[in-house]
Structure formats: structure tokens, C-alpha cells
Amino acid sequence: VATGLTDEYFGLPGHKEMNTNKQSFVRDFLESETLFITGVTGFLGKVLLYKLLSACPNLREKSVYVLVRGKKEFSAEKRFEKDVLEDSLLFRGLLNRDPSIRSKIVVVEGDIARSKLGMSPDDYNMVANTCTTIIHMAATTNFNENLRKSIELNVHGSRRILDLAKKMKNLRSVTHTSTCYVNATRFGSTEIREKVYPLSFDPYEMADRIMKMTEEEADQETPNIIGDNPNTYTFTKNMAEHLITEEKGDIPYCVVRPSIIGGAWKEPLPGWVDSFIGPAGLSLAAGLGALHAMPGFGSFIFDVIPVDLVANALLTAAYHTAVNPPGKRLPIYHIASGSTNPVTWNNLAYCVSENFSRHPSERTMSKVWVRFVHPQVYPVAHKVVHVAPASIADARRVATGKKPMFVKKAATLNQIANSLEYFTSHEWLFGQHNLSAMWQSLSPGDAELFNFDTSNRNINWEVYFAYFCQGLRSYLLKERTEDDEKFFMSKL
């Protein structure tokens, strides 16, 4: 269904030839806009919001509108205060330094799974009349999400953002967050370009068909529907890109596709992570001595990208789309490391094993080691190194009057390992021509403040993994002292 208008979008003029000082054009743009941002309660969303607030001190009051879904026990406002401002180490430090930051944020109650994004009529009109720039990050990233629910959130949710954009009176740009793995079936040595590739089906008919199913029917039909795609997440994110391509018209849209998002490289703190999603959960299980075998090929590329580089790329793309209106084209940016600064799954396994062996967690369960084994051999390895020890440990628990628990945990580990097998058993070459052109166009000030350089000039993986392991202990396991806490707060 792709129209062909998404081929590589080169020739971004930028300001490098105009500027040799430290002026940041991206910051000037962001401080002059009124932004509408979704997904701020997620891992990437928190980092982007932190960067926006910390790098742009001259943001006006009520210039950052954030869409937040309320919960049964919390309104959207209270959820944002609790999950983002209070519970997150990042924002406690930021607010201590500058309490006025809170006055710059407007929390809007809503839900991308509902009509008009779940906003009240007054709020919807307020956003449409007030906001000028959209950064859309909200999505379900659950690989095993029910297909019907994934369509509602990732496909129809993206359409609702597009509908809002069409109603905004002073729109400058819309930045849509996708994933490099929308083209997961194109693995191998052939470069995957920054474009929308044709689908083998009509996405509109497919979405209608799925939404007519019950969730139970959708679960049963999922393998037949998604075919060679690894999961419902990549399948529906791909459909969303096609929908945007077909319906955006002249709306100034761009798409940023990250690869596997990992902990922070430098900002807000080296190694910062607050989510078990992605490589964090896998690495932590290995670091605690719970995970010893993973299906896959250790020599294959682990295409990880630090979360702060993704946030910087999103903010920069919002600016570039505004100052270089793409017309009917859809600029797409791959923010990945595999083609510019490759690291392997074995590198990850070695660094995690070494780091947690030298600096063991208080919760370490057994000797720390992990190996990648051939997917065909993995089921046997899982029984030997996970199920058998878990069965013995549970037998001891039962003998002392305790409930068994380790076999169940081993089954959970197996489920996680199987969900990641596709990504540890294939390699991709993500082209970055558009991203490179955008990077080269930056002024020195922007390149320093909004750094998303993925090359080895910027990222040293050995140092990065050391920070990452420390982050797993400090931020996920919360194994930190009062001195650690004071140090972190002084850096935020």
C-alpha cells in the first residue's frame, strides 16, 4: 500500500554552515513551541521529558501538555505526580533544583485506545487550539500482547494522533515513535532502508477483520495472521506506519525507529534504567544467577541503542521536520548501532557475567554465568540448567513446609527467552542515511546538547555495559546507599 513517497529523505539543510558557536537551534525551537507528548510514564518517555525540561530552561508555563491515562485508584494528575515526579529519581532531583518546572507541565487525562484519545471535548479542543508540536511515544510494547488490543493501541491509537494533528491550527511537526523491527522479516545482510516497504495485505481490511474478533478469537488466530513476523508488537507498528503514509497528506510527519532500547549512556545518569523491558530483564536474570542459557547465536549483533540517544533523536527530529517541511513525504530515521558501532550478544553476556561476579547483588541466587546456545539445543539446556536445579530447590522448600516457587519462575524465564529468540537468532543491517544526514546538519551546540551519535567515537561498549550493570543494581534492585542517593541527586 506504500505510495513510494517514503524513500530516503536527504538534503536536510540544517544550520552548520551558519553557526560555529554553541547556539542550539533545537533548544530554541522547543522553547518556542507548545508540545503535546504521549507515553511520558514509560521508560523512554520519562527520559525524553527529563531531557526536555533540563535542556530547555526557558520553556514557558503550560507549554508541555502530557497525555496520561488514569487508573482505578489514581486520576491522570495523581498518577503523573506519583509515577513520574515522586517515584522517579530523575524528577525529584530536577524539581529540587528548579521547583518552577512543574508549572510548565499540563497533565491531560486521556487514553490512546479511546475515541479522540479519551480526552474530554474541552481538553481536546484546548490541545488542538494550543499545541504546535506532537511527540507520540505511547504504545503497547508487550511482545505477547493480545492482537486485538495491540491493533487498538498501536494502529488506531496512531490514527487518533493523526486525526488530532489534522485539527491543530498551528501545527509545526508530528514525530511518531516506531521500531526498526517493523521490518523484522527482512533479516540478513541486505540493508534495510529508511522507508516504508509494501505489505502483502491491505492494512485497513486486516485491522477491520481483527477488531471484529473477540480477544479469545484473536489469540487463536494470531499465528496465522502475523505469519513470519516475530510478535504482535512489530506487526501492528508496521501497520501503523502504513496508515500514516496513506493518510498524512501534507501534515509534517516523521517517524523515528529505534532498535533495542537499553539503559542510558550519559543522561540523565550513566546506566539509568527503570524498566525490566528489553535487555534489562534478561541481563538482570543472568546477573542474579537465575538465567544460564539463552537460545540464539552469541556472535550475532546485539543492536542496542541507549535510551538517551533515542530521546535526543526524537527531539531533534521534531525540530527538523518543522524547519524542513517534508510535504507528502514521510522522513524515517533509524536510530541503531549495528551498522555503525556493532556489539554482539556474547559481549553482553560476558560483561554481565564479569560485572555481577565481581560485584554480586544481595539477591544473587547461584554462580553467575550465561551462554547462548543453538535454538534447537536450548530446550534440553533449559531443562538441565534451569528446571532441574529449580525442582531440587522446590523439593527442599516443600520439605521445610514452604510453598514451591522456583519451577514456576523457571517457566517464566523460559517464556521470556522464547519471546526474544527471534532477535538473538537473526541479524539485521539498518541503514542510517537519513539519521546521518540529520546528524551532519546539526550546529556544534546542537550536536553537544542533543547528541545521538551512534558511532564508536561516542559509545564505548565496555564502559556502557559496566554502567548498565551498575544501573540494574542501583535503579531496578534499588541496592544503593544513602551516599549513592546523595551522589545521584547532585548529578541530576
Side-chain angles (χ1 to χ4, degrees), residues 4 13 23 51 81 97 108 120 123 134 174-175 189 203 216 228 235 279 285 310 316 360-361 423 457-458 474:
Q23 181 178 357
K51 182 56 183 273
E81 295 285 344
R97 190 167 72 242
V108 181
S120 69
D123 284 347
I134 297 175
V174 183
T175 303
S189 58
E216 292 74 17
D228 293 334
F235 180 76
V310 180
T316 304
S361 164
F423 303 94
R457 295 187 302 273
N458 183 36
S474 296

Side-chain angles (χ1 to χ4, degrees), residues 319-333:
Y319 157 74
H320 267 285
T321 304
V323 300
N324 303 290
K328 293 187 181 301
R329 289 184 175 271
L330 181 63
I332 295 175
Y333 304 97

Side-chain angles (χ1 to χ4, degrees), residues 154-340:
N154 294 346
V155 180
H156 293 324
S158 298
R159 171 181 274 165
R160 293 175 184 118
I161 290 291
L162 177 56
D163 290 341
L164 172 65
K166 290 179 177 179
K167 291 179 173 62
M168 291 172 68
K169 296 182 177 181
N170 300 298
L171 180 67
R172 299 292 307 280
S173 69
V174 183
T175 303
H176 173 86
T177 310
S178 187
T179 171
C180 284
Y181 298 98
V182 294
N183 294 307
T185 59
R186 296 179 178 271
F187 54 82
S189 58
T190 301
E191 181 183 77
I192 298 173
R193 294 162 60 188
E194 293 161 296
K195 60 178 284 185
V196 175
Y197 287 88
L199 287 173
S200 60
F201 58 87
D202 186 306
Y204 295 93
E205 292 179 0
M206 180 64 76
D208 289 343
R209 172 189 166 194
I210 294 169
M211 292 308 294
K212 289 177 182 176
M213 300 178 182
T214 64
E215 290 195 357
E216 292 74 17
E217 291 171 338
D219 280 337
Q220 292 175 355
E221 288 296 316
T222 293
N224 296 326
I225 292 174
I226 69 173
D228 293 334
N229 290 276
N231 50 56
T232 58
Y233 170 63
T234 62
F235 180 76
T236 54
K237 293 297 279 187
N238 194 357
M239 290 176 63
E241 287 191 10
H242 280 80
L243 179 149
I244 293 168
T245 302
E246 291 300 312
E247 298 187 18
K248 69 173 284 296
D250 291 323
I251 298 291
Y253 246 92
C254 73
V255 172
V256 175
R257 292 175 179 166
S259 54
I260 301 171
I261 301 179
W265 170 226
K266 292 183 178 179
E267 297 179 293
L269 290 166
W272 188 81
V273 59
D274 81 336
S275 170
F276 291 94
I277 295 174
L282 170 71
S283 300
L284 190 57
L288 295 178
L291 179 71
H292 298 298
M294 269 291 297
F297 301 101
S299 61
F300 279 13
I301 290 174
F302 169 38
D303 205 319
V304 62
I305 191 72
V307 63
D308 46 334
L309 271 63
V310 180
N312 288 339
L314 284 165
L315 293 168
T316 304
Y319 157 74
H320 267 285
T321 304
V323 300
N324 303 290
K328 293 187 181 301
R329 289 184 175 271
L330 181 63
I332 295 175
Y333 304 97
H334 283 157
I335 175 77
S337 64
S339 62
T340 57

